[in-house]
Amino acid sequence: MTKPELLSPAGNWDCVRAAVANGADAVYFGLDQFNARMRADNFTRADLPVLMPFLHAHGVRGYVTMNVLIFTAEMEEAAAYIRALEDARVDGVIVQDMGLAAYVAEQRRAGNIRHLELHLSTQMTLSSPEAVRLVDEMFDPQQIVLARELSLREIEACAKATAKPIEVFCHGALCVAYSGQCLTSESLGQRSANRGECAQACRMPYRLEVDGRMRDLGERRYIFSPQDLCALDRIPQMLDAGVHSFKVEGRLKSPEYVAAATRAYRRALDAALEQRGMPRKQRAADLYALQMAFSRGFSTGWLDGTDHPLLTHGRFGKKRGALAGRIVCWGTGWVELEGPPALPVAPGDGFVIDAGEDRNEEQGGRIWKAEGARLYFHGKGSRIDWQRIRRGNLLWKTADPALDKALHATWCNFAKNAAGAGSTALDIRFCGRAGAPLTATCRGVTVASAMPLQPAERRPLTPEGVTAQFSRLGGTDFTLGRCSFDLPAGLMLPVSELNRMRRELVERVPRQEPAAPLPPAPWAADFPPMREADAAETARQLSVLCRNAAQARVAAECGVRRIYLDFKDLKQLPDTVQELRAAFPDTEFWIATLRIMKPHEGGFFKYITAAQPHGVLVRNLGAALFFRGKGIPVAGDFSLNTANPASVQLWREFGMQFSTVSYDLNAQQLADLLSCGCGPCLELTLHQHMPMFHTEHCVFCTFLSRGHSFKDCGQPCDHHRVRVMDRTHAMHYLHSDEGCRNTLFNGQAQSAARYLHGMRRCGLSRFRIELLEESPDKAREIITAYRDLLRGRISAEQLMQQLNLLDRIGVTEAR
């Protein structure tokens, strides 16, 4: 394996230059489609012929992010994107969608893609050794990006599961939800995080209702907003754990941020590789620069293991910078701290006063003078109401113009057109035999020497000598790429003839390499033929997901033939399944796995196998591998993000009886998917409380206990019913699972009833109801209403009115 890699983000050209100038080994960036940071400036395919030569001229690799789900109507365009990346000599593509990953892997195996590497995104939710082994087997990727929620010990376990390079985030913003599993932006704001449109709902204030009463949390309102990750002091341990690529988050951040982060981690990584410590003064300067570039406060994230209060203190959700101190007295135009600020202070620096207020009410401004512990603010520019300040308020430094200027200087003279930027690499193949001309072939153009090759008397041609002459491309639009040779040793040709051949080739070769014809896209798989199921059979295909045994009994009594059991306490499953099977012998009882599997959690599966269910609803990649070959039928749930025919076919060939439609699809996108004939391989969730956040962070532990993890929190999740109030005063349900992970469910149930008959005409015959906290009576009412709808006894409008439901399919109506 090559030496470890420092991977920096780039949202625009200045960020690219800042990364390269400060020591990045590689940069990752998005184009104007198919990337998870659509709010970044981003690049276009037209930029690649300039951008990639610039990076390669400086010895830096470039990776393009296609880390979103791909819908059916987009698959051909996505394939064209892949071809464009290969033609532009992009080094790697970072992929979330399972179907797209399968396509890239197949094209690599077929030899249609030779340069472009396949990197698997953290959006795939790769959180266990089993998941790593599965994707390694499926796709043969060249790099694997792990979930951010892993400790050093867990990273090491995943790294040992593959020989492929492991990529891990070392710095930047932490999503509170598992990447690829967050549906909050869609559910609340009609914007898909799995499509690059995250609304950052986790950074908003919320309130808690505990057992029916609002809980006063004081200043702690940002209960889903983690501090930022800073692993500057964990680089040696990450190397020991098997990390190859150290990734800095931040494609939406400024070039100053990219410069500061790249420079700091370049120093830290080099020191770790040389097994020397960082000088204390240098480390402090780097940490300060990181804080000023962007910081919501720093923690080591999950690297050191679980510490929920450290991860998310809840006091603020936006940039804070560096802490200057605590205010002890003040007057109009000035504040005084407990002691001199423990950081550099200069006129023009910006500060914010932290009084525990909502971010729209916070006060701050720039100073014009500092005398010891006293700071003097500009009067008009600051707009501070001095009557609102209180003793003990914290003062944070948020802007340092001098530092920004110094960071800017690191790349401002790093010319965009330097060292080969704007040029295109030429790959040339040389062939020849004694008595025949030497030929040079590039992009379909062949030039030949005017004289034959002759046996050499003194200075024979060598690959190095030919390469040296053909690399003299200054003043042209080209640089020399890869050279290959079919040329016996001991032959000669005058240097002047080599130079003539080079000039002729430059004149004749096309400025852009002709794109190879696209191979047939495997999107239209050989699915079973479509047919419209009759009403009685479709009614039998109605399944119900239940959260407790009482709901399961009601569902069985209503005639439901497949019931999914999604219980928090997995230990009760064997006895419950045995009792239910004895009472309802004509009903299938399946068990849903947890949505996340981490290293050393295989024991959870033992409870499932011990229960002897009729089948398993698989929610994570590790579970898919575990239950393969166990003799238990399996189906894929929504969390596997099945969004196009290629991913449907992938799971069908894997052995899934069917897959649940991804919640990211709207009605039109679902219709597009069904038009490919894959209806018999799918199940649609008709009714549910949308699962929004799914997070390793435990709100119960952080805000309802004094503990730090499940070891000392006292399990408040077992003793309290908690709801979360958002800014619109809507209430949502907070649940925890056996793995102590939290899910926030939308408080308003939604239904796709209006689309039912259209979906049936397209060949879909499996439909699901998901219950949450419904009583047995309410569960019976819901199930009966949908069975009546399926049999044509009531209309969708009547059902929606009766149950007071939100009219929506998946997470969006249209996009």
Side-chain angles (χ1 to χ4, degrees), residues 13 28 67 88 96 138 145 218 221 250 274 323 342 353 402 439 462 494 496 548 553 578 585 599 678 683 700 757 761:
W13 256 111
Y28 65 103
N67 52 344
Q96 173 189 9
M138 282 181 161
V145 190
R221 294 184 294 276
E274 296 168 13
L323 181 63
I353 299 167
T439 62
T462 64
S496 60
N548 55 58
R553 284 187 171 276
Q578 183 179 359
C678 53
E683 181 170 77
F700 294 94
H757 298 302
R761 285 193 296 271

Side-chain angles (χ1 to χ4, degrees), residues 183 187 663 688-692 744-746 748-750 810-811:
L183 299 168
S187 188
Y663 291 167
Q688 65 172 316
H689 289 267
M690 180 65 67
M692 300 188 299
L744 185 67
F745 292 90
N746 195 310
Q748 174 67 55
Q750 68 179 53
V811 292

Side-chain angles (χ1 to χ4, degrees), residues 363-528:
Q363 303 188 99
R366 295 185 182 274
I367 64 169
W368 65 275
K369 183 173 68 171
E371 292 182 345
R374 182 170 291 192
L375 306 180
Y376 294 86
F377 285 78
H378 286 286
K380 293 182 180 180
S382 297
R383 301 178 185 174
I384 296 175
D385 180 354
W386 301 98
Q387 302 300 316
R388 287 169 49 190
I389 299 177
R390 296 291 180 268
R391 180 182 178 87
N393 287 167
L394 298 177
L395 187 70
W396 297 83
K397 183 176 179 180
T398 57
D400 186 333
L403 175 62
D404 288 344
K405 184 177 180 180
L407 291 171
H408 187 269
T410 65
W411 84 84
C412 67
N413 296 319
F414 205 75
K416 177 176 170 181
N417 293 318
S423 58
T424 302
L426 297 180
D427 295 338
I428 305 176
R429 179 164 179 77
F430 297 92
C431 299
R433 295 288 185 273
L438 173 69
T439 62
T441 301
C442 177
R443 297 186 177 183
V445 173
T446 299
V447 299
S449 60
M451 59 190 71
L453 291 162
Q454 301 290 337
E457 296 182 1
R458 289 185 300 172
R459 296 181 180 177
L461 285 178
T462 64
E464 293 77 13
V466 174
T467 298
Q469 292 306 312
F470 273 77
S471 67
R472 299 172 66 179
L473 295 168
T476 74
D477 294 331
F478 302 110
T479 58
L480 187 63
R482 293 175 294 187
C483 294
S484 58
F485 293 87
D486 181 8
L487 185 66
L491 301 177
M492 65 83 61
L493 196 70
V495 170
S496 60
E497 183 61 12
L498 290 176
N499 291 336
R500 186 200 66 78
M501 291 176 64
R502 183 191 70 241
R503 291 190 294 269
E504 181 183 352
L505 188 67
V506 167
E507 290 176 0
R508 294 177 54 193
V509 76
R511 263 40 190 171
Q512 290 189 346
E513 186 171 3
L518 285 174
W523 317 139
D526 183 21
F527 293 108

Side-chain angles (χ1 to χ4, degrees), residues 343-363:
L343 43 74
V345 174
D349 288 350
F351 293 83
V352 66
I353 299 167
D354 183 355
E357 300 167 310
D358 286 337
R359 56 183 177 178
N360 293 330
E361 300 173 354
E362 289 180 341
Q363 303 188 99

